[in-house]
Amino acid sequence: IVNVWYSVNGERLGTYNGHTGAVWCVDADWDTRHVLTGSADNSCRLWDCETGEAIPQIPKFPVSGTTILPYFFNKSSQAFPRDARILHPPPPPWLIPSPPLPTENNEPYMKIPCSDSKITSAVWGPLGEFIIAGHENGELNQFSAKSGEQLSNIKEHTKQINDIQTSRDMTMFITASKDNTAKLFDCTSLEHLKTFRTERPVNSAALSPIFDHVVLGGGQEAMDVTTTSTRIGKFEARFFHLAFEEEFGRVKGHFGPINSVAFHPDGKSYSSGGEDGYVRIHYFDPQYFEFEFEA
């Protein structure tokens, strides 16, 4: 069940009911009118963000000015093909008078085969011109959103890429990997820029929208958590300087691996979701905004 919460006071506003399996990912469009979810029940669902009702048609999702929407069948079931599938929402109503096609009948207009190693995370590149995909074997691929052609391929990680997040201006992105590192890349060229090292697998990494700061979340593998104390498991959120690659802070609180981290768009807080079942929202102290990193 997908929940929506008011971040200021933790009040739960409502739920999105419909999935019958674990929900792997949730995202909203730019104006927060629609929510897209991907689940282990082998379906992606669209919701009205305000009412929580499932939407039977695919709305127009503005992605850098385009109207293409990717989704990936990889985590949900090994029975599904290892490819990226891109749906094309119907044209605006002023171009075609007929109503949009139902979601279940809207076949992907493009399939990008990934036979060697399945995709575990993916994001749009600048202007929606290409897709950046991270793979189970540590590879990063850049695919054209128009032709599906592979534009670039690199392998800087040695193990699975768990998460990819872009910077606010879409010029860079950061990856989180099971090889105990997070790495910064140029979005267009895939040039490797920086590396942030830890002692445990990194499940998620995010870039601050206002400072040269990176937050990492991870910890010991979930299957081993019951035999390990929180101190040894290293379940803290860890802060690094983007340019100097040095750690300058840690935030404790979770008693299981952190699966997801994200900065608030205004950069004044961040949230983390853990295997312990909690989402923690942290507001930065005034000293954080006055902090100057000494190289």
Side-chain angles (χ1 to χ4, degrees), residues 166-223:
T166 59
S167 60
R168 186 175 189 176
D169 60 4
M170 301 287 287
T171 59
M172 301 179 295
F173 68 92
I174 190 167
T175 57
S177 173
K178 283 187 174 181
D179 65 7
N180 302 351
T181 67
K183 299 192 177 188
L184 186 72
F185 297 87
D186 181 273
C187 268
T188 304
S189 65
L190 296 191
E191 178 187 358
H192 176 214
L193 304 174
K194 301 289 181 180
T195 299
F196 311 96
R197 304 182 186 279
T198 71
E199 304 82 33
R200 290 293 187 271
V202 184
N203 295 332
S204 186
L207 299 167
S208 169
I210 59 174
F211 293 128
D212 290 334
H213 295 171
V214 177
V215 61
L216 310 183
Q220 187 181 34
E221 294 284 357
M223 66 181 68

Side-chain angles (χ1 to χ4, degrees), residues 33-285:
R33 293 177 58 198
H34 304 103
V35 176
L36 174 69
T37 57
S39 169
D41 63 10
N42 300 335
S43 73
C44 289
R45 292 175 181 257
L46 292 164
W47 315 84
D48 183 292
C49 188
E50 184 176 2
T51 66
E53 295 180 358
I55 299 173
Q57 296 92 15
I58 297 177
K60 299 183 296 296
F61 270 72
V63 183
S64 303
T66 66
T67 54
I68 52 181
L69 169 69
Y71 66 94
F72 302 89
F73 287 119
N74 287 284
K75 290 185 177 180
S76 58
S77 172
Q78 290 296 330
F80 272 84
R82 294 180 177 180
D83 56 20
R85 301 184 174 198
I86 303 179
L87 286 176
H88 207 314
W94 59 84
L95 293 182
I96 288 186
S98 59
L101 293 174
T103 302
E104 56 267 20
N105 295 330
N106 193 6
E107 288 297 318
Y109 82 92
M110 184 190 302
K111 296 181 182 181
I112 303 173
C114 308
S115 55
D116 294 337
S117 180
K118 69 180 182 181
I119 295 175
T120 51
S121 184
V123 293
W124 284 103
L127 303 177
E129 294 179 347
F130 51 81
I131 296 165
I132 300 167
H135 294 254
E136 191 176 38
N137 62 0
E139 286 186 359
L140 276 169
N141 280 302
Q142 189 184 78
F143 298 104
S144 169
K146 294 181 179 179
S147 65
E149 175 188 2
Q150 180 178 299
L151 304 176
S152 300
N153 171 268
I154 61 171
K155 188 175 181 182
E156 294 290 341
H157 286 289
T158 58
K159 294 184 180 179
Q160 175 176 308
I161 296 174
N162 292 321
D163 186 32
I164 301 176
Q165 296 191 36
T166 59
S167 60
R168 186 175 189 176
D169 60 4
M170 301 287 287
T171 59
M172 301 179 295
F173 68 92
I174 190 167
T175 57
S177 173
K178 283 187 174 181
D179 65 7
N180 302 351
T181 67
K183 299 192 177 188
L184 186 72
F185 297 87
D186 181 273
C187 268
T188 304
S189 65
L190 296 191
E191 178 187 358
H192 176 214
L193 304 174
K194 301 289 181 180
T195 299
F196 311 96
R197 304 182 186 279
T198 71
E199 304 82 33
R200 290 293 187 271
V202 184
N203 295 332
S204 186
L207 299 167
S208 169
I210 59 174
F211 293 128
D212 290 334
H213 295 171
V214 177
V215 61
L216 310 183
Q220 187 181 34
E221 294 284 357
M223 66 181 68
D224 301 324
V225 168
T226 54
T227 61
T228 308
S229 70
T230 57
R231 179 177 58 84
I232 299 175
K234 300 185 183 299
F235 305 138
E236 309 99 335
R238 306 176 65 169
F239 286 80
F240 288 77
H241 193 278
L242 182 70
F244 303 117
E245 305 175 319
E246 293 187 19
E247 183 179 0
F248 65 86
R250 298 188 184 188
V251 177
K252 298 181 180 180
H254 286 286
F255 50 90
I258 296 174
N259 291 330
S260 181
V261 293
F263 278 97
H264 191 283
D266 64 11
K268 296 180 180 179
S269 63
Y270 83 96
S271 59
S272 57
E275 192 75 23
D276 54 12
Y278 287 91
V279 174
R280 301 177 65 89
I281 302 174
H282 299 265
Y283 289 87
F284 296 118
D285 296 329

